[in-house]
Amino acid sequence: MTTLNLPVLSRGNATECNFSLQPNTQSFESPLNKTVQTYELPGAKWLFTATWQNLNQADARIFKAWLASLRGMAGRFYANDLAHKTPSGCISGTLSVNAAAAAGASAISALSSLISTSNILLPGDYFQVGTELKIVTAAASTNGSGVAAISFEPPLRTALTGTESITYNTPLAIFRLNDDKQDNFNFDPERRPSITLSSTEVFS
C-alpha cells in the first residue's frame, strides 16, 4: 500500500498533538538482593497522538475517507511533531551527511551551506535522514568549512555512507494506527465531530 500523508483540512493543523519517543529497554531485578539492571536495546519508536476538534462536515467526510483508505493497522502514513515542523535554529539552504556513521551512532558530521554560523540547529529541533526521524539534543554550529557536529536521539538504526541529504523542514516518520477502531466519530446535525488518532512509528 502507498504511505499516505495526513489529510488536508480547511481548519489546517490539529488542535492537540502529543509526539513522544518511546525507548526500548529491559529491566531485571535480582530476587536475591533487589539490585536492578536495565538494558537499552535498539528500536526506540516515536508515538503520535493528535486530535482535531469541532470539524465541519466537509472536513469530517475527508477524514473518514482518509481513514477508510488507511485500512486500519494495515496502512501507513507520514506524520511529525505538528507543534514543531520547522527548526528553531537558523539553518537554511542545503544540509547533508558529511561522513560515514555506524548504526547505533547518536552524532553525525554534517555539511551545511552556512559557514561559521552558530546555532544552525537547537535542542528540540527535528531532522530526517533516510526514513529515520531524529531530535537534536545539543546546539549545532558550523566551522569555516560549513561542517557541523549534530547530536541527536534516537541512535541511528542503519549505517550512513556519508552522502545522504538531511531534511529539516517538516521531517517525517512513518506510522500505523494502534488499533482498527479509530473511525469512531459520528455525524451529528447539531454538533461538530472530533477525531483523535493514536499511532506508533513503524520501521521500513
Side-chain angles (χ1 to χ4, degrees):
M1 291 178 61
T2 301
T3 302
L4 305 179
N5 293 307
L6 288 171
V8 178
L9 308 177
S10 63
R11 69 163 300 129
N13 219 354
T15 50
E16 297 177 19
C17 177
N18 183 295
F19 198 83
S20 59
L21 185 62
Q22 178 179 275
N24 184 23
T25 62
Q26 290 184 351
S27 184
F28 171 77
E29 182 179 282
S30 170
L32 301 177
N33 58 14
K34 298 302 181 180
T35 57
V36 176
Q37 293 178 313
T38 303
Y39 300 95
E40 180 190 8
L41 304 173
K45 291 187 174 184
W46 292 105
L47 307 179
F48 172 76
T49 301
T51 298
W52 289 259
Q53 294 180 336
N54 300 319
L55 296 175
N56 61 39
Q57 295 296 309
D59 282 346
R61 288 192 294 271
I62 289 171
F63 224 121
K64 287 183 75 72
W66 181 83
L67 284 167
S69 299
L70 202 58
R71 301 178 184 175
M73 294 175 66
R76 302 289 184 264
F77 65 95
Y78 296 108
N80 58 2
D81 187 344
L82 300 179
H84 197 64
K85 294 182 178 181
T86 57
S88 298
C90 64
I91 183 66
S92 64
T94 60
L95 186 65
S96 60
V97 180
N98 189 50
S106 56
I108 56 173
S109 175
L111 180 63
S112 169
S113 54
L114 299 178
I115 297 174
S116 300
T117 304
S118 299
N119 299 328
I120 62 167
L121 291 171
L122 293 174
D125 288 341
Y126 296 92
F127 69 89
Q128 178 187 348
V129 57
T131 59
E132 300 189 31
L133 180 66
K134 309 301 181 187
I135 187 168
V136 177
T137 56
S141 302
T142 61
N143 62 19
S145 300
V147 175
I150 303 177
S151 299
F152 57 85
E153 293 292 339
L156 291 173
R157 297 194 301 271
T158 57
L160 301 178
T161 64
T163 60
E164 294 84 355
S165 61
I166 295 173
T167 300
Y168 55 82
N169 283 321
T170 317
L172 300 167
I174 300 173
F175 292 83
R176 65 159 176 81
L177 298 178
N178 287 339
D179 57 62
D180 291 329
K181 301 178 181 179
Q182 298 199 40
D183 186 4
N184 57 0
F185 61 103
N186 298 317
F187 289 94
D188 185 335
E190 303 300 325
R191 305 175 68 179
R192 291 191 167 195
S194 299
I195 179 68
T196 296
L197 292 183
S198 177
S199 60
T200 300
E201 183 183 13
V202 291
F203 301 147
S204 59

